[in-house]
Amino acid sequence: MDSLELKKNLLEWYQLHKRKLPWRGEADPYKILLSEVLLQQTRVEQAIPYYQRFLHQFPTLAALAQADQEDVLKAWQGCGYYARARNLHKLARQVVALGQPLPQTSIELRGLPGIGPYTAAAVASIAFGEPVAAVDGNVRRVLSRLYAWENPTPQQVQEAADTLMAELVYWGGEVNTPDGSLPGDWNQALMELGATVCTPHNPSCGACPVAPYCLGKSHPERYPAARARPQKSLEVVALVLQGPSGTYLELRQGRVLGGLWGVPMEEGPGALERLLARFRLEKAEPVGTVRHDFTHRKLNIQVYKAPYEAQENPEHRPLSRLDRKILKLVETESLRLL
Ligand code: SF4
């Protein structure tokens, strides 16, 4: 494989075809970090309004450090994977407390809350020009196809990405990146190719700048083989307690929704009885069912409601998408019965 040609083609293609995104060309490391954290588990189109809203509210790392966690979660509301917001907030407080700017190397960045190898490499390469390969799902797919690997190990993919990056640095001036750092542009070019051309289904091999070097292009969908995701189903009961002055909400604990507010829920056998006992209620009225998927869990939620003296206004608290679905169902059902 002629590595130099491959890199030139891909970088040239990237300069011409990259999508215009609000964080592209951004030099502020905080903004680059925010975009990478958002993109960890959120699609680009969905991430854009959150990126803009978050920056409007917390324009600098220092502003984020000073904010209340509840305001941070409110700004993240609906974006999911709230551990990202909690960690970013913790990170800001940690860095600002030391009186220093964001660290510049991937090794130092990896020591910060919520920053894994991918995010550390992406930020260090894009914001600070460190020649370190960032491997996300897009890069894994592109490299698996390029080398026709069906079941590559994470190490194998990382090594291939590291080799390409090392060669790139070696070729240095022979490749052309007019508006960015070479390592940052290279990482983004690979990811962009995966996101827009070498897509999981029906990749556009005819328009691909690295097609001449691709060993997997005759059967791209074979590479890499799909990984089975074990998904556990959980039976859950949610109890919506409402009165004329508001809804009963409680602060959730735990890794997934911790820090957000929501309606009382219990899982497993006897869930409804436990909820009724907790609030000293005789009975609750069934409203309907809500289904909600987390990455590794499918929730089947039986929603009940009961009158209750409560004060919270759900508009004023950060709520998960799941809780908003539940409240919406109760509202729709009540309107239907009017
Ligand atoms: Fe992906 Fe096709 Fe390009 Fe190979 S030629 S990298 S399979 S889009």
Side-chain angles (χ1 to χ4, degrees), residues 267-303:
E267 59 180 69
L272 179 61
E273 289 70 23
R274 287 199 301 282
L275 282 168
L276 292 175
R278 214 176 115 200
F279 293 95
R280 299 174 185 223
L281 294 167
E282 292 295 319
K283 61 182 171 61
E285 186 188 328
V287 182
T289 305
V290 165
R291 291 195 171 76
H292 192 81
D293 288 357
F294 289 110
T295 315
H296 297 293
R297 280 186 307 173
K298 269 181 184 303
L299 260 52
N300 208 7
I301 306 144
Q302 303 299 329
V303 181

Side-chain angles (χ1 to χ4, degrees), residues 331-338:
E331 191 189 318
T332 316
E333 281 303 302
S334 309
L335 289 176
R336 205 173 58 81
L337 296 175
L338 280 181

Side-chain angles (χ1 to χ4, degrees), residues 141-143 145-146 193 197-199 203-221 223:
R141 184 172 59 257
V142 170
L143 295 184
R145 289 174 176 173
L146 211 47
L193 187 74
V197 174
C198 193
T199 46
S204 314
C205 300
C208 177
V210 300
Y213 318 99
C214 181
L215 303 178
K217 66 173 178 267
S218 49
H219 302 285
E221 296 201 11
Y223 314 106

Side-chain angles (χ1 to χ4, degrees), residues 198-263:
C198 193
T199 46
H201 304 292
N202 302 319
S204 314
C205 300
C208 177
V210 300
Y213 318 99
C214 181
L215 303 178
K217 66 173 178 267
S218 49
H219 302 285
E221 296 201 11
R222 272 191 203 162
Y223 314 106
R227 285 185 286 195
R229 265 193 183 162
Q231 254 205 352
K232 209 169 129 189
S233 268
L234 271 184
E235 294 300 320
V236 178
V237 172
L239 182 56
V240 178
L241 299 166
Q242 284 175 326
S245 336
T247 303
Y248 179 87
L249 297 174
E250 52 194 15
L251 191 57
R252 295 211 183 287
Q253 308 292 328
R255 204 175 56 82
V256 181
L257 298 178
L260 296 171
W261 293 73
V263 301

Side-chain angles (χ1 to χ4, degrees), residues 32-33 36-37 40 109-110 114-125 134:
I32 293 168
L33 171 67
E36 288 300 334
V37 169
Q40 280 169 6
L109 285 163
R110 275 173 77 164
I115 306 292
Y118 163 76
T119 308
V123 173
S125 63

